[in-house]
Amino acid sequence: MVERSEVAVVGAGPSGLAASCLVAEAGLQVTLLGGVAQVLEDDPRTIALMQPSVRLLAHLGAWPGDIMAQSAPLWRLKLVDDSAGLMASPPVVFDAREIGEEPFGWNIPIGVLAAALERRARDLGVTFLADEAVRLQTSGAAALLRTAGGHSLSARVVLGADGRSSIVRAAARIGTVEWSYDQVALASAFDHSTPHRDTSVEYHKQAGPLTTVPMPGQRSSLVWLERPARADALAAMSDADFARTLQVELHGDLGVVSGIGKRKLFPMRGHTAVSFARNRVMLLGEAAHMLPPIGAQGLNLSLRDAATAAELIAGAARFGDDPGGSDLLERYDRMRRRDVVPRQGVVDAVNRSLLAGSFLPHGARVLGLMLASSIGPLRRRIMHQGLGPAELPRVMRG
Ligand SMILES: Cc1cc2nc3c(=O)[nH]c(=O)nc-3n(C[C@H](O)[C@H](O)[C@H](O)COP(=O)(O)OP(=O)(O)OC[C@H]3O[C@@H](n4cnc5c(N)ncnc54)[C@H](O)[C@@H]3O)c2cc1C
């Protein structure tokens, strides 16, 4: 028997959960296909969500809820040139108080975020199908999904949020442009004896950035990009050796390091889908784009994907238009591409300027840091840009 839903979402990661909530909240019938992400409970990643993304959570009733107490505000972002090159820049500090009265955003454990979104999705009446999509046929007025467990689900539009190896993307015959870096990100968390003062610090080192992000109390999360061999060695160290090594890398800025959390490695690669929407499919999150964790862009972009898709689908439904029609899909592709692609370019340029080790890219990065440090209007412009584009989906606007 074929089950029917107005909208099908494939992938119960943070992007798919957020999209399901937003579409259901707009009054449409949604089926979310995929095992709910218990794995995220064990994941050491925390996600720095900027204010537009926090507003989306508030719109859904998921913020502050019980998330806020487990999260920390981000008032200051500090960039430290720690690459030991011939030219060096003084640290650049971006302070949220320079552009407003609220923090840049909040640092939230990924498991806490996913659990809160899952609860909201259930409250909003999303139908959960804990099964894996194995096939997708897109022809005529509907898309037909088949699952490993033998279900068939028909929908007018499919939101592909099934991560970097998306089968939805492949089934819609959408290719990707892919690249990789000779780096691995190590994610963890640690206690420290000196307060973080609500400041996230990005140390630009020769093998890539090492970033500390505040958590509640005297604890921070860590995203450390390293060459693969060193990352493996760091992951294999005892907690005591790792704490000592990290303390040295931080130049003692956070005092004595202890209480090392679970460590997890993520190979660094990037991709962009050649189209973000085609054949009754809209791609969201890492199914559409992937980039290194520099400047906290990944999930912030994905939540903008989710909000844009939901807004377009709800608009089509209001006027009796086809939510999977080609005009609407082309609009989604245009809107998301102009946000995603330039940000991927900036992150890639910063990362490669460190890895290249040659004078020109290093000099350009150091010059950029010097200008941002000394020119107030430029610094404020960078802060506004970092929060998101000027044109935001309705649920993310201030
Ligand atoms: C170390 C690190 C730190 C980061 N920090 C930040 C940050 O501070 N701020 C930020 O904005 N971003 C950050 N990111 C990026 C962010 O983590 C990702 O963008 C985000 O987790 C991607 O979510 P997703 O839902 O798109 O993909 P995923 O989390 O990969 O979810 C995909 C889901 O689809 C499911 N699935 C796959 N195939 C199928 C199928 N066939 N059928 C059904 N389900 C399927 C999977 O099981 C999974 O549940 C960071 C990334 C890393 C690696």
Side-chain angles (χ1 to χ4, degrees), residues 83-88 359 362:
S83 59
L86 285 176
M87 281 169 74
F359 182 74
H362 170 78

Side-chain angles (χ1 to χ4, degrees), residues 10-16 33-35 37 40 45-49 107 110 131-134 161-164 167 185-187 223 266 268 284-287 293 296-302:
V10 181
S15 309
L33 225 158
L40 293 177
R45 273 179 294 175
T46 61
I47 302 290
L49 283 189
N107 190 33
I110 194 166
D131 202 349
E132 193 186 337
V134 287
D162 49 342
R164 62 190 161 91
I167 75 122
L186 182 147
V223 180
F266 297 84
M268 285 297 93
L284 316 178
E286 288 194 349
Q297 294 296 320
L299 192 60
N300 285 284
L301 280 170
S302 308

Side-chain angles (χ1 to χ4, degrees), residues 59-382:
H59 171 83
L60 288 174
W63 178 267
D66 57 2
I67 310 184
M68 196 185 201
Q70 301 179 68
S71 311
L74 302 172
W75 279 101
R76 301 197 320 154
L77 306 175
K78 186 170 168 185
L79 303 184
V80 177
D81 180 23
D82 199 8
S83 59
L86 285 176
M87 281 169 74
S89 149
V92 186
V93 178
F94 298 100
D95 192 324
R97 291 170 187 89
E98 244 190 277
I99 56 166
E101 289 170 4
E102 53 182 13
F104 290 123
W106 289 76
N107 190 33
I108 307 173
I110 194 166
V112 171
L113 177 67
L117 286 171
E118 187 200 332
R119 277 197 303 277
R120 285 307 294 145
R122 291 193 190 279
D123 293 347
L124 287 161
V126 170
T127 303
F128 281 75
L129 195 54
D131 202 349
E132 193 186 337
V134 287
R135 272 187 69 191
L136 169 68
Q137 287 166 286
T138 56
S139 57
L144 183 66
L145 279 159
R146 292 190 198 282
T147 73
H151 290 274
S152 297
L153 175 69
S154 156
R156 305 287 302 279
V157 61
V158 174
L159 303 187
D162 49 342
R164 62 190 161 91
S165 314
S166 168
I167 75 122
V168 172
R169 187 181 65 218
R173 294 187 293 284
I174 301 175
T176 50
V177 177
E178 299 182 9
W179 61 95
S180 62
Y181 304 89
D182 185 26
Q183 281 171 320
V184 170
L186 182 147
S188 189
F190 60 100
D191 293 330
H192 37 82
S193 61
T194 302
H196 50 52
R197 299 174 57 232
D198 304 326
T199 305
S200 173
V201 185
E202 196 169 283
Y203 296 86
H204 287 182
K205 295 179 182 280
Q206 279 174 358
L210 181 163
T211 309
T212 62
V213 195
M215 291 175 77
Q218 292 198 184
R219 192 163 175 81
S220 292
S221 60
L222 171 72
V223 180
W224 186 351
L225 271 66
E226 255 300 350
R227 299 289 186 186
R230 181 146 197 246
D232 284 344
L234 289 166
M237 277 179 185
S238 69
D239 282 1
D241 286 347
F242 184 81
R244 263 192 299 276
T245 309
L246 178 59
Q247 197 173 308
V248 171
E249 292 285 347
L250 298 177
H251 311 289
D253 293 349
L254 287 172
V256 179
V257 169
S258 60
I260 304 296
K262 186 172 184 233
R263 283 166 261 167
K264 186 169 174 186
L265 299 179
F266 297 84
M268 285 297 93
R269 47 176 83 107
H271 66 235
T272 317
V274 296
S275 170
F276 288 173
R278 186 186 288 170
N279 294 336
R280 297 209 165 267
V281 160
M282 291 178 175
L283 297 177
L284 316 178
E286 288 194 349
H289 46 77
M290 195 170 172
L291 72 179
I294 299 173
Q297 294 296 320
L299 192 60
N300 285 284
L301 280 170
S302 308
L303 294 181
R304 298 206 283 279
D305 299 340
T308 305
E311 197 167 293
L312 290 175
I313 290 170
R318 244 190 330 273
F319 294 106
D321 293 339
D322 180 357
S326 52
D327 287 355
L328 186 133
L329 298 189
E330 277 165 28
R331 229 175 121 201
Y332 176 77
D333 178 50
R334 273 197 310 276
M335 289 168 82
R336 295 311 304 139
R337 193 160 289 279
R338 64 176 177 245
D339 183 12
V340 170
V341 174
R343 282 172 200 274
Q344 284 186 311
V346 171
V347 167
D348 184 65
V350 170
N351 199 20
R352 287 191 195 279
S353 75
L354 291 162
L355 292 177
S358 50
F359 182 74
L360 214 58
H362 170 78
R365 185 179 45 79
V366 169
L367 184 66
L369 288 176
M370 283 174 168
L371 293 175
S373 155
S374 51
I375 305 175
L378 175 65
R379 197 171 51 251
R380 288 189 280 280
R381 196 182 153 83
I382 295 171

